[in-house]
Amino acid sequence: MWGFFKADSAYHVDALDNYYAYDPDKARQLHAEAGQSELAFEVFYTPSPEGQAGAEALQAQLAEVGVTITLKPLTVQTDFFPDAKGAPMYFFPLQRASLNKITRVYVPGSYGNVCTWDDPELNAAVAELQKVREDSPEGIAAWEAVQEQAYTSAVSIFALFGLQGAAWNDERVGNPEFLFIATAP
């Protein structure tokens, strides 16, 4: 996975594929240069099958480069939000749609912005996206600018795409309509 949208989405930016290519040797080198060759810290994860499995995969990959993470299930939201007091990192499935993928965690003043992230370039790109329909050509271009800034600043490192299903009983709920936002125009 390389970002906010999967490869078949109109919002996916092909030029950003492999931006964070898996390179354990380079990771070990960068940790050594930073004086962090034996880095260890705790990481919260969402206690669900996909949250735990994803966190365990992250734990195994980080161990390959000398980073030890201790996984902790996040059972009380206030252990992490609003100031990350229980652990410095939270690995979770990002299931937000539309611009809320960004504004919920990366824009100043948001409850999910536990690090008080304030990137003027990202804020400007978000402001431009807020001015247009996301499914318009201008919206798709604005999403590209948002993603480029998010990548270059490393505000998030994406790990996996999950599946989200919807089910209903036709005898109880008839003719449901689903609104899919920011997946493809």
Side-chain angles (χ1 to χ4, degrees):
M1 178 174 169
W2 299 104
F4 295 102
F5 302 100
K6 57 187 184 164
D8 65 352
S9 170
Y11 300 93
H12 178 80
V13 181
D14 291 340
L16 296 173
D17 285 352
N18 289 311
Y19 194 87
Y20 295 111
Y22 183 69
D23 188 342
D25 293 331
K26 183 175 181 180
R28 281 189 286 278
Q29 173 193 343
L30 291 171
H31 287 145
E33 289 173 9
Q36 298 293 329
S37 57
E38 295 299 322
L39 186 61
F41 55 94
E42 294 180 319
V43 174
F44 279 122
Y45 69 91
T46 299
S48 63
E50 64 273 4
Q52 182 171 348
E56 289 171 351
L58 174 67
Q59 183 180 45
Q61 287 187 355
L62 289 177
E64 291 179 22
V65 297
V67 177
T68 302
I69 61 172
T70 302
L71 299 177
K72 298 170 52 173
L74 182 66
T75 56
V76 179
Q77 291 293 314
T78 56
D79 285 348
F80 188 75
F81 297 105
D83 57 5
K85 64 181 173 263
M89 183 176 168
Y90 178 22
F91 179 90
F92 62 94
L94 181 62
Q95 295 180 338
R96 305 220 182 273
S98 191
L99 190 54
N100 199 15
K101 290 181 179 198
I102 304 295
T103 58
R104 176 74 169 98
V105 291
Y106 308 133
V107 175
S110 170
Y111 179 76
N113 187 353
V114 298
C115 300
T116 61
W117 187 262
D118 188 1
D119 177 345
E121 290 182 47
L122 183 61
N123 297 342
V126 167
E128 289 302 310
L129 182 54
Q130 289 172 321
K131 294 177 186 177
V132 298
R133 284 183 45 110
E134 290 182 50
D135 62 351
S136 69
E138 297 83 10
I140 292 169
W143 260 115
E144 182 172 338
V146 165
Q147 291 176 81
E148 287 175 353
Q149 184 57 27
Y151 278 52
T152 58
S153 65
V155 66
S156 280
I157 306 295
F158 296 95
L160 58 96
F161 275 111
L163 298 175
Q164 189 169 10
W168 66 92
N169 179 339
D170 282 337
E171 294 178 17
R172 296 185 71 184
V173 177
N175 302 318
E177 292 185 28
F178 297 94
L179 175 62
F180 296 98
I181 301 171
T183 56

